[in-house]
Amino acid sequence: MNLIEKIENITDKCISCGFCESVCPTLGANEYNSVFGARGRVILADFALKHPGNNMELGDSFYSCLDCYACVNVCPAGVNAGVVSELMKEYIVSGASGNKNPIAELIKDSIIKYENPLGLKKEAAEWAYGIEFNKSDTVIITGHMYQMMPYTRAINKVRKYIDEAVVRGIASAIKNHIPLIKLSRHFYDAGLREKMNRDLKNIVSMLKSSGVEFDYLGSDEPYPGMFLYDLGYMEEFKAYALKVYNLLKERGIKKIITVDPHTHDLLMNVYPEYIPEFGIEVVYYTDLLNLKFKKFNGNITIQEPCHMVLHNNNFRAVDILNSIADVRMADRNGKLNMCCGGPDELLFPESAKKISVQRYAELKEKSDNVITICPLCYNNLAYDNKVEDFSEFVIDMISK
Amino acid sequence: MQKSTSAAVTELISGLGSKKILTTAEELVPFMKDASYISGKMPVAVCLPENAGEIAKILSICNKHRLDVTIRSAGTSLTGSSISGFPGVIISTMNLNRILEINTSSRYAVCEPGVRLDKLNQELKKYNFFYPPDPASSRASTVGGSLSTNAGGLRAVRYGATKEWVLGMDVVLPDGHIIRTGEYTLKRSAGYDLTALMIGSEGTLGVVTKAILKIEPLPESTAKIIGFYKDIESVGKTMDKIKSAGITPLIAEFMDLGTINSIRKGMGLEIPEYTKFLLMVDVDSPLEALNRKIESARNIFKEFTGDVNVITDIKRMDEIYAARKGAYSALLDLRENNNQLIVIGDVIVPSSELAGAMTEIEKCVRDDGVKATLFGHIGDGNIHANIFMDNTEEGRKNMEKLQMDIAKVAITHNGCVSAEHGIGTEKNRLLYEEYLERDSLYTLEIMKSIKKVFDPNNILNRGKIFYEPD
Ligand SMILES: Cc1cc2nc3c(=O)[nH]c(=O)nc-3n(C[C@H](O)[C@H](O)[C@H](O)COP(=O)(O)OP(=O)(O)OC[C@H]3O[C@@H](n4cnc5c(N)ncnc54)[C@H](O)[C@@H]3O)c2cc1C
Ligand code: SF4
Ligand code: SF4
């Protein structure tokens, strides 16, 4: 099946019932402009493919999709507007229609050149200075996610004051002088950086206390290529993922421990799809924890990660939290989970902000203590210091 | 674009700002579809107002320029009523989406039109109350859309359709006037009932911007009784006897084998081999009397079938309710290919006529040679024929013939061509047929005259409800 057939094979099933719009976070965040909602994306994709040569600007509709998969979980016809968006980004990137997003282009070039979206591969390893790891064919792969949050937060703080067209202009300019991207190392939120590094250290410490032996590749750890995949650069992603795989193979890696849901989903489900020989076991760190916990004196609520609950990946984090505390889930939970808005942070910060504010309010309605299990969720929802990362919360609950 | 049209769009943009007036092709395309099989024309603009004042402004501009206007909420209409056959303006009321007040002692809730029905009920549940109209689309469909189509649902047998649940509303008329119909009171005898007139008017008279809705306490305790049958007559007799015995069910649904098969897994029931039909009845009562109520109903079931299941576990009841609510959706899996569409019929007959009408409808389906499954709300006589339509000229013709044949059965049994989905553009031919058959075409003329009073320039939802024979 070629790309167009793949897309039409999905969009043809849609009956335009609009059920998906009721859960699609980006629709409300864009004042019900349907092209930013799940049904609108499916209808637009279908129309664009059936009317090629039209001059429609397709980018914003599909790039703004959070890839959360809330839509498919309520769709009576089994249509996944998230996947339609992924494929349509590939269609746009192939030059078939619409304009490429200059920020996306910049990020792509940076990943290919520096193995990190912001050219910060070295900085991404700094958290682990001084930690002793084992010699092992099991490695922890951070995916650079915890490490990048302090930079995106600082960049977005600046962006708030700049017109979006100017931002896109700057992105185009940097793309022509790609080493300039490394300047981003000077823009970070120092407090958040310290916290994110601490979270990673906590994760390592809990795994060690659970008796898990593992290594870390340090500044050799490549960014796994998530943005290439998310932004539709499939040719580049394929080549890049193969490079990452070859590195892991050379190092004799048999098992990967992931610490964030995005990297987990990518390595667990996407890599094997593109690299059939990818035989490396992937396990989420919470599933390796073997610790005794105290009871938390109070209630908590949980922001479940879309890449786990809506993308059908199992993990034990929620069970662990249930065993520790009185958990009060938000009305939208499990298969109706609402995304934190995080994936829109780089390209559509306004939309991301509105979604996170709404979700934060929904969570706070249930409990003051909000636990996130993904660095992106934390970064987007931490409007007060009662929002904590799983690692932060759980490490304090270990019985001594 | 005509000169006056582009002048109107320019005025809309200067009046509301470009963020609220969409004009680029990619933004307009999604508004060419609703949940029907019909495609609309590309609008010249889509307006995203936030309040009644902005809607009044939009309507005044469109009225001045005689520009067609289609009103739209969630766009789940099955009859093409929220898309337009003309390249005009679409007004979305989705940004008016606040629940303004919940008053449990006076038993009302005040909502804006873009509130989704499930969202309203989620809120009301916190007070142990609910808003009864429950179309199967309630996850997405809204207060505005359901008022305008007089939506029904599974609970209509007990609570009636939407019209029983609306006390009053604010409506913006095409000339920009904002009027109030009805009040916060449960009773009112005060001239013409314009609230009733607005309900089911499918966006042809004005834009609803606020609604005062009646609410009910949640039933204290409930049970679900399910019987399996070889023939539809016994289903009808069971139902007649239940109602005659003074039991008014909360829900009373039947389905044929095709429908049962599509939701078999979701229901999770042991289904006897002989089964051709299933009857599902929910009863309620104060907790201490529930068992007595179950026994009376079960005994009636037992007179007509050997296999009766009683379910009292709330989780299981919710699962079966959800499976039945998803029946239309589940049928999508039975499509032979992606291009096949399911068109859903919506006739109704008095419930005592149901068994007879069903037998004739089954014959129509056989004679017309079109694949269709049947389910419906037996308590109120509403039969949905789900017609699998090949998306070709011939497929469409076959579907239209079957729809007309079924409509004629309903009309001869003193029924109506649409129970709850409305007329839109899809059923205006059938509605015409109904009044023609009753020798009362003048009723349609009166309706048209009323429309003229509200909308003298015929800008609102032109082409909906009224069929114009050549
Ligand atoms: C899977 C599925 C199952 C369904 N099941 C049922 C069912 O069980 N029972 C049932 O009754 N219906 C059912 N429907 C039909 C449909 O959902 C209902 O008609 C629903 O009430 C429409 O609500 P909406 O918000 O989507 O309105 P829309 O589709 O947006 O609009 C419907 C009509 O209302 C008008 N309108 C919308 N908003 C306003 C407003 N603010 N002011 C004035 N006019 C307005 C529109 O012009 C249009 O004529 C189903 C549909 C689907 C797709
Ligand atoms: S829920 Fe599914 S079938 Fe309905 S509009 Fe969305 S994608 Fe289409
Ligand atoms: S994946 Fe999420 S953001 Fe994208 S269309 Fe589906 S619900 Fe909307």
Side-chain angles (χ1 to χ4, degrees):
Chain A
M1 242 193 270
N2 66 29
L3 178 61
I4 294 179
E5 286 165 347
K6 260 198 228 167
I7 301 170
E8 284 184 337
N9 193 39
I10 307 176
T11 56
D12 280 351
K13 292 196 187 102
C14 171
I15 55 160
S16 320
C17 67
F19 284 17
C20 51
E21 290 192 340
S22 68
V23 293
C24 177
T26 49
L27 181 63
N30 286 280
E31 285 75 38
Y32 293 89
N33 181 350
S34 283
V35 81
F36 290 100
R39 170 169 60 175
R41 292 184 176 114
V42 176
I43 295 174
L44 181 63
D46 186 58
F47 188 91
L49 298 186
K50 293 201 164 77
H51 302 82
N54 58 64
N55 269 334
M56 291 193 296
E57 176 43 64
L58 302 175
D60 286 357
S61 174
F62 302 109
Y63 280 115
S64 61
C65 167
L66 299 161
D67 203 23
C68 67
Y69 292 6
C71 45
V72 67
N73 283 286
V74 299
C75 173
V79 174
N80 190 331
V83 171
V84 170
S85 301
E86 286 163 18
L87 296 170
M88 282 305 287
K89 282 182 268 186
E90 194 178 340
Y91 180 73
I92 295 167
V93 164
S94 76
S97 182
N99 293 323
K100 295 178 191 175
N101 184 304
I103 302 173
E105 284 278 293
L106 171 63
I107 290 170
K108 180 234 348 174
D109 286 353
S110 176
I111 295 172
I112 292 171
K113 192 162 167 59
Y114 299 118
E115 296 189 348
N116 178 287
L118 298 172
L120 301 173
K121 193 174 171 205
K122 191 168 83 36
E123 288 77 359
E126 284 170 5
W127 67 276
Y129 287 173
I131 301 179
E132 293 272 323
F133 292 92
N134 309 96
K135 280 270 149 286
S136 168
D137 54 14
T138 297
V139 281
I140 184 168
I141 294 282
T142 67
H144 299 187
M145 288 290 280
Y146 276 89
Q147 300 94 312
M148 263 186 320
M149 293 303 118
Y151 297 89
T152 53
R153 184 182 279 188
I155 291 170
N156 275 340
K157 254 189 207 150
V158 179
R159 273 175 79 178
K160 256 201 311 215
Y161 303 102
I162 310 177
D163 186 71
E164 196 49 32
V166 177
V167 173
R168 290 183 185 203
I170 295 172
S172 302
I174 300 179
K175 185 178 146 50
N176 294 328
H177 305 280
I178 194 73
L180 284 178
I181 189 125
K182 287 197 157 224
L183 288 176
S184 58
R185 71 171 178 273
H186 299 298
F187 293 95
Y188 62 85
D189 179 314
L192 185 62
R193 186 161 188 261
E194 200 190 316
K195 181 231 139 50
M196 287 293 179
N197 286 351
R198 197 168 55 240
D199 286 351
L200 286 170
K201 285 182 191 155
N202 284 342
I203 291 170
V204 166
S205 146
M206 286 195 291
L207 284 168
K208 284 187 169 182
S209 307
S210 302
V212 184
E213 298 206 340
F214 56 98
D215 205 348
Y216 174 51
L217 300 178
S219 57
D220 286 345
E221 183 196 286
Y223 173 74
M226 191 141 38
F227 271 127
L228 292 177
Y229 181 77
D230 284 352
L231 298 173
Y233 295 98
M234 297 327 283
E235 285 308 316
E236 290 84 349
F237 172 73
K238 265 185 250 172
Y240 185 87
L242 196 62
K243 201 167 102 183
V244 172
Y245 169 64
N246 285 334
L247 175 95
L248 296 174
K249 208 169 65 174
E250 260 169 41
R251 298 288 181 101
I253 307 302
K254 302 243 160 51
K255 184 169 168 177
I256 289 170
I257 303 172
T258 52
V259 300
D260 78 89
H262 294 258
T263 306
H264 182 78
D265 195 23
L266 189 81
L267 293 173
M268 178 96 179
N269 301 313
V270 181
Y271 265 61
E273 200 184 304
Y274 287 88
I275 307 166
E277 66 273 25
F278 186 87
I280 306 176
E281 187 188 347
V282 181
V283 55
Y284 199 60
Y285 83 94
T286 59
D287 294 9
L288 296 171
L289 299 183
N290 186 11
L291 301 161
K292 288 231 171 327
F293 296 108
K294 299 181 283 202
K295 283 273 173 229
F296 177 67
N297 186 16
N299 54 54
I300 60 169
T301 185
I302 306 170
Q303 171 64 6
E304 296 163 283
C306 303
H307 279 263
M308 291 310 217
V309 293
L310 297 175
H311 286 232
N312 299 323
N313 292 310
N314 292 323
F315 73 147
R316 279 185 47 230
V318 175
D319 296 342
I320 294 174
L321 291 171
N322 265 311
S323 73
I324 298 176
D326 167 14
V327 177
R328 302 184 177 175
M329 298 303 276
D331 287 337
R332 291 201 253 181
N333 67 67
K335 292 292 176 202
L336 292 175
N337 187 52
M338 180 187 170
C339 178
C340 66
D344 265 2
E345 243 220 314
L346 264 181
L347 300 190
F348 299 89
E350 246 183 73
S351 179
K353 172 94 183 177
K354 280 190 198 158
I355 296 166
S356 68
V357 167
Q358 186 191 349
R359 185 55 174 169
Y360 173 76
E362 286 184 11
L363 290 161
K364 282 278 161 170
E365 206 183 291
K366 299 293 166 179
S367 173
D368 203 23
N369 304 304
V370 177
I371 309 300
T372 58
I373 319 174
C374 162
L376 217 64
C377 294
Y378 175 85
N379 190 33
N380 274 271
L381 296 170
Y383 287 108
D384 69 46
N385 59 13
K386 294 277 193 167
V387 179
E388 283 191 296
D389 184 71
F390 176 89
S391 58
E392 222 173 347
F393 175 75
V394 162
I395 202 157
D396 285 342
M397 300 313 298
I398 299 173
S399 330
K400 296 282 168 341
Chain B
M1 213 189 282
Q2 278 184 348
K3 226 167 149 193
S4 66
T5 307
S6 64
V9 175
T10 310
E11 259 186 71
L12 287 170
I13 294 172
S14 62
L16 277 93
S18 57
K19 257 201 112 180
K20 291 182 183 173
I21 309 293
L22 313 178
T23 53
T24 63
E26 62 275 9
E27 291 173 313
L28 302 174
V29 165
F31 292 89
M32 293 161 69
K33 295 286 298 170
D34 59 12
S36 69
Y37 60 90
I38 303 160
S39 284
K41 283 266 174 351
M42 189 182 293
V44 293
V46 170
C47 309
L48 306 174
E50 280 174 19
N51 53 52
E54 289 184 345
I55 292 174
K57 214 185 257 180
I58 297 164
L59 284 178
S60 305
I61 294 169
C62 295
N63 202 30
K64 188 173 81 185
H65 293 277
R66 307 285 189 271
L67 195 55
D68 279 294
V69 173
T70 304
I71 308 162
R72 177 175 170 116
S73 286
T76 68
S77 165
L78 291 167
T79 64
S81 65
S82 41
I83 48 175
S84 180
F86 309 97
V89 161
I90 289 184
I91 300 179
S92 163
T93 52
M94 290 307 287
N95 285 304
L96 286 80
N97 55 25
R98 292 168 305 165
I99 299 171
L100 301 169
E101 188 187 350
I102 291 175
N103 187 322
T104 48
S105 65
S106 294
R107 300 215 167 158
Y108 66 75
V110 185
C111 288
E112 292 187 323
V115 174
R116 299 191 196 270
L117 296 176
D118 275 7
K119 171 87 190 146
L120 172 60
N121 270 323
Q122 203 182 326
E123 226 24 61
L124 288 169
K125 202 172 176 192
K126 295 179 187 160
Y127 303 82
N128 252 335
F129 272 73
F130 77 122
Y131 171 69
D134 63 338
S137 55
S138 59
R139 167 190 295 290
S141 56
T142 63
V143 168
S146 58
L147 256 61
S148 305
T149 53
N150 191 17
L154 269 57
R155 295 192 280 242
V157 56
R158 163 72 69 84
Y159 298 102
T162 301
K163 74 179 166 58
E164 315 292 341
W165 295 93
V166 187
L167 299 171
M169 51 181 106
D170 284 0
V171 182
V172 186
L173 301 182
D175 62 3
H177 270 104
I178 303 179
I179 60 162
R180 163 70 75 85
T181 76
E183 270 315 322
Y184 293 77
T185 53
L186 291 178
K187 286 198 297 191
R188 199 164 168 275
S189 175
Y192 297 145
D193 187 350
L194 295 189
T195 306
L197 180 61
M198 283 304 300
I199 293 171
S201 63
E202 300 188 25
T204 58
L205 302 179
V207 184
V208 178
T209 54
K210 190 165 99 178
I212 310 164
L213 307 171
K214 267 199 293 185
I215 54 173
E216 271 281 294
L218 280 164
E220 187 179 320
S221 64
T222 56
K224 200 177 269 304
I225 305 162
I226 297 176
F228 304 94
Y229 297 83
K230 289 194 191 89
D231 60 287
I232 188 70
E233 285 78 17
S234 306
V235 177
K237 284 179 188 157
T238 310
M239 204 52 227
D240 283 346
K241 196 142 189 202
I242 286 178
K243 281 169 111 181
S244 303
I247 301 172
T248 307
L250 274 177
I251 290 175
E253 295 290 304
F254 79 92
M255 25 183 134
D256 71 356
L257 190 58
T259 312
I260 296 170
N261 283 337
S262 71
I263 60 168
R264 196 178 269 267
K265 214 169 114 214
M267 288 197 297
L269 295 169
E270 280 282 322
I271 295 166
E273 269 205 15
Y274 61 79
T275 303
K276 289 234 164 54
F277 292 94
L278 175 156
L279 173 64
M280 176 191 292
V281 170
D282 280 21
V283 293
D284 71 318
S285 108
L287 190 58
E288 51 287 3
L290 185 66
N291 280 339
R292 217 172 53 226
K293 188 86 156 261
I294 294 173
E295 272 325 295
S296 326
R298 192 214 304 258
N299 289 339
I300 298 172
F301 267 83
K302 283 274 180 199
E303 287 178 37
F304 301 98
T305 172
D307 292 292
V308 184
N309 283 5
V310 175
I311 297 145
T312 49
D313 177 62
I314 293 175
K315 194 162 161 268
R316 281 291 294 130
M317 286 178 64
D318 285 349
E319 279 166 10
I320 297 170
Y321 173 77
R324 163 56 192 91
K325 225 173 158 185
Y328 168 70
S329 311
L331 290 169
L332 294 172
D333 282 346
L334 306 184
R335 289 184 288 182
E336 278 151 23
N337 56 60
N338 284 348
N339 281 323
Q340 203 169 46
L341 301 170
I342 297 182
V343 177
I344 176 165
D346 179 37
V347 298
I348 184 163
V349 294
S351 56
S352 55
E353 296 282 315
L354 192 110
M358 274 287 293
T359 312
E360 286 173 42
I361 287 172
E362 284 191 308
K363 185 168 179 311
C364 295
V365 172
R366 272 196 312 275
D367 290 353
D368 287 355
V370 177
K371 180 171 160 186
T373 65
L374 303 172
F375 64 77
H377 316 301
I378 192 169
D380 57 22
N382 187 182
I383 306 162
H384 294 302
N386 301 280
I387 306 166
F388 291 73
M389 177 184 105
D390 288 329
N391 200 2
T392 58
E393 198 51 38
E394 196 194 343
R396 185 176 287 232
K397 274 203 183 118
N398 292 342
M399 177 277 294
E400 279 171 359
K401 175 166 185 326
L402 180 57
Q403 289 261 50
M404 183 57 88
D405 290 344
I406 294 175
K408 285 183 173 160
V409 172
I411 295 166
T412 27
H413 284 269
N414 293 329
C416 173
V417 298
S418 174
E420 53 181 21
H421 297 166
I423 302 299
T425 47
E426 190 216 6
K427 296 197 174 74
N428 53 13
R429 191 63 227 279
L430 304 186
L431 182 68
Y432 181 85
E433 187 68 24
E434 182 175 323
Y435 283 113
L436 181 69
E437 207 52 41
R438 305 251 186 274
D439 197 15
S440 185
L441 282 177
Y442 194 58
T443 309
L444 284 173
E445 291 309 312
I446 293 175
M447 287 193 205
K448 284 184 198 164
S449 309
I450 294 172
K451 171 149 171 74
K452 241 193 188 126
V453 174
F454 280 75
D455 179 20
N457 298 320
N458 196 18
I459 62 163
L460 284 184
N461 269 16
R462 182 153 66 99
K464 314 289 159 56
I465 301 181
F466 305 109
Y467 167 66
E468 305 292 348
D470 303 328

PDB file of all heavy atoms in Angstrom, chain A residues 14-20 39 75-77 79, ligand 2:
ATOM      1  N   CYS A  14     -14.494   6.434   8.027  1.00  0.00           N
ATOM      2  CA  CYS A  14     -15.093   7.450   8.904  1.00  0.00           C
ATOM      3  C   CYS A  14     -16.529   7.753   8.475  1.00  0.00           C
ATOM      4  O   CYS A  14     -16.815   7.944   7.304  1.00  0.00           O
ATOM      5  CB  CYS A  14     -14.249   8.717   8.838  1.00  0.00           C
ATOM      6  SG  CYS A  14     -15.014  10.113   9.671  1.00  0.00           S
ATOM      7  N   ILE A  15     -17.444   7.805   9.446  1.00  0.00           N
ATOM      8  CA  ILE A  15     -18.840   8.138   9.150  1.00  0.00           C
ATOM      9  C   ILE A  15     -19.171   9.569   9.606  1.00  0.00           C
ATOM     10  O   ILE A  15     -20.339   9.947   9.696  1.00  0.00           O
ATOM     11  CB  ILE A  15     -19.823   7.134   9.796  1.00  0.00           C
ATOM     12  CG1 ILE A  15     -19.566   7.037  11.315  1.00  0.00           C
ATOM     13  CG2 ILE A  15     -19.712   5.775   9.132  1.00  0.00           C
ATOM     14  CD1 ILE A  15     -20.717   6.479  12.102  1.00  0.00           C
ATOM     15  N   SER A  16     -18.160  10.327   9.941  1.00  0.00           N
ATOM     16  CA  SER A  16     -18.309  11.744  10.353  1.00  0.00           C
ATOM     17  C   SER A  16     -19.289  11.921  11.511  1.00  0.00           C
ATOM     18  O   SER A  16     -20.028  12.897  11.536  1.00  0.00           O
ATOM     19  CB  SER A  16     -18.813  12.627   9.207  1.00  0.00           C
ATOM     20  OG  SER A  16     -18.243  12.295   8.019  1.00  0.00           O
ATOM     21  N   CYS A  17     -19.279  10.989  12.442  1.00  0.00           N
ATOM     22  CA  CYS A  17     -20.248  11.099  13.536  1.00  0.00           C
ATOM     23  C   CYS A  17     -19.862  12.170  14.545  1.00  0.00           C
ATOM     24  O   CYS A  17     -20.689  12.633  15.325  1.00  0.00           O
ATOM     25  CB  CYS A  17     -20.400   9.761  14.240  1.00  0.00           C
ATOM     26  SG  CYS A  17     -18.910   9.260  15.110  1.00  0.00           S
ATOM     27  N   GLY A  18     -18.597  12.531  14.577  1.00  0.00           N
ATOM     28  CA  GLY A  18     -18.167  13.606  15.481  1.00  0.00           C
ATOM     29  C   GLY A  18     -17.914  13.159  16.912  1.00  0.00           C
ATOM     30  O   GLY A  18     -17.607  13.983  17.775  1.00  0.00           O
ATOM     31  N   PHE A  19     -18.006  11.852  17.187  1.00  0.00           N
ATOM     32  CA  PHE A  19     -17.752  11.399  18.560  1.00  0.00           C
ATOM     33  C   PHE A  19     -16.340  11.783  18.997  1.00  0.00           C
ATOM     34  O   PHE A  19     -16.112  12.160  20.142  1.00  0.00           O
ATOM     35  CB  PHE A  19     -17.915   9.868  18.669  1.00  0.00           C
ATOM     36  CG  PHE A  19     -19.348   9.408  18.682  1.00  0.00           C
ATOM     37  CD1 PHE A  19     -20.373  10.231  18.256  1.00  0.00           C
ATOM     38  CD2 PHE A  19     -19.671   8.132  19.123  1.00  0.00           C
ATOM     39  CE1 PHE A  19     -21.698   9.799  18.269  1.00  0.00           C
ATOM     40  CE2 PHE A  19     -20.985   7.687  19.148  1.00  0.00           C
ATOM     41  CZ  PHE A  19     -21.996   8.521  18.713  1.00  0.00           C
ATOM     42  N   CYS A  20     -15.403  11.655  18.049  1.00  0.00           N
ATOM     43  CA  CYS A  20     -13.994  11.921  18.388  1.00  0.00           C
ATOM     44  C   CYS A  20     -13.782  13.377  18.804  1.00  0.00           C
ATOM     45  O   CYS A  20     -12.881  13.680  19.586  1.00  0.00           O
ATOM     46  CB  CYS A  20     -13.107  11.577  17.199  1.00  0.00           C
ATOM     47  SG  CYS A  20     -13.652  12.324  15.655  1.00  0.00           S
ATOM     48  N   ARG A  39     -12.228  14.910  13.927  1.00  0.00           N
ATOM     49  CA  ARG A  39     -13.061  14.675  12.739  1.00  0.00           C
ATOM     50  C   ARG A  39     -12.618  15.580  11.591  1.00  0.00           C
ATOM     51  O   ARG A  39     -12.529  15.143  10.440  1.00  0.00           O
ATOM     52  CB  ARG A  39     -14.537  14.913  13.053  1.00  0.00           C
ATOM     53  CG  ARG A  39     -15.399  14.906  11.790  1.00  0.00           C
ATOM     54  CD  ARG A  39     -16.892  14.869  12.071  1.00  0.00           C
ATOM     55  NE  ARG A  39     -17.372  15.991  12.842  1.00  0.00           N
ATOM     56  CZ  ARG A  39     -18.655  16.211  13.119  1.00  0.00           C
ATOM     57  NH1 ARG A  39     -19.569  15.372  12.683  1.00  0.00           N
ATOM     58  NH2 ARG A  39     -19.032  17.246  13.834  1.00  0.00           N
ATOM     59  N   CYS A  75     -14.041   6.119  18.840  1.00  0.00           N
ATOM     60  CA  CYS A  75     -14.563   6.084  17.463  1.00  0.00           C
ATOM     61  C   CYS A  75     -15.302   4.785  17.185  1.00  0.00           C
ATOM     62  O   CYS A  75     -14.735   3.705  17.317  1.00  0.00           O
ATOM     63  CB  CYS A  75     -13.426   6.237  16.464  1.00  0.00           C
ATOM     64  SG  CYS A  75     -14.007   6.007  14.788  1.00  0.00           S
ATOM     65  N   PRO A  76     -16.570   4.869  16.790  1.00  0.00           N
ATOM     66  CA  PRO A  76     -17.319   3.646  16.517  1.00  0.00           C
ATOM     67  C   PRO A  76     -16.792   2.892  15.300  1.00  0.00           C
ATOM     68  O   PRO A  76     -17.043   1.699  15.157  1.00  0.00           O
ATOM     69  CB  PRO A  76     -18.740   4.136  16.267  1.00  0.00           C
ATOM     70  CG  PRO A  76     -18.627   5.575  15.934  1.00  0.00           C
ATOM     71  CD  PRO A  76     -17.386   6.074  16.632  1.00  0.00           C
ATOM     72  N   ALA A  77     -16.057   3.589  14.432  1.00  0.00           N
ATOM     73  CA  ALA A  77     -15.583   2.927  13.221  1.00  0.00           C
ATOM     74  C   ALA A  77     -14.106   2.541  13.331  1.00  0.00           C
ATOM     75  O   ALA A  77     -13.514   2.072  12.360  1.00  0.00           O
ATOM     76  CB  ALA A  77     -15.804   3.844  12.014  1.00  0.00           C
ATOM     77  N   VAL A  79     -11.524   4.489  13.640  1.00  0.00           N
ATOM     78  CA  VAL A  79     -10.629   5.386  12.900  1.00  0.00           C
ATOM     79  C   VAL A  79      -9.702   6.095  13.886  1.00  0.00           C
ATOM     80  O   VAL A  79     -10.154   6.606  14.904  1.00  0.00           O
ATOM     81  CB  VAL A  79     -11.458   6.445  12.129  1.00  0.00           C
ATOM     82  CG1 VAL A  79     -10.554   7.478  11.478  1.00  0.00           C
ATOM     83  CG2 VAL A  79     -12.327   5.769  11.086  1.00  0.00           C
TER      84      VAL A  79
HETATM   85  S1  SF4 C   2     -15.395   9.152  15.763  1.00  0.00           S
HETATM   86 FE1  SF4 C   2     -14.517   7.994  14.057  1.00  0.00          FE
HETATM   87  S2  SF4 C   2     -16.177   7.764  12.564  1.00  0.00           S
HETATM   88 FE2  SF4 C   2     -16.792   9.384  14.007  1.00  0.00          FE
HETATM   89  S3  SF4 C   2     -16.063  11.276  13.000  1.00  0.00           S
HETATM   90 FE3  SF4 C   2     -14.431  10.631  14.387  1.00  0.00          FE
HETATM   91  S4  SF4 C   2     -13.077   9.412  13.076  1.00  0.00           S
HETATM   92 FE4  SF4 C   2     -15.010   9.585  11.976  1.00  0.00          FE
END
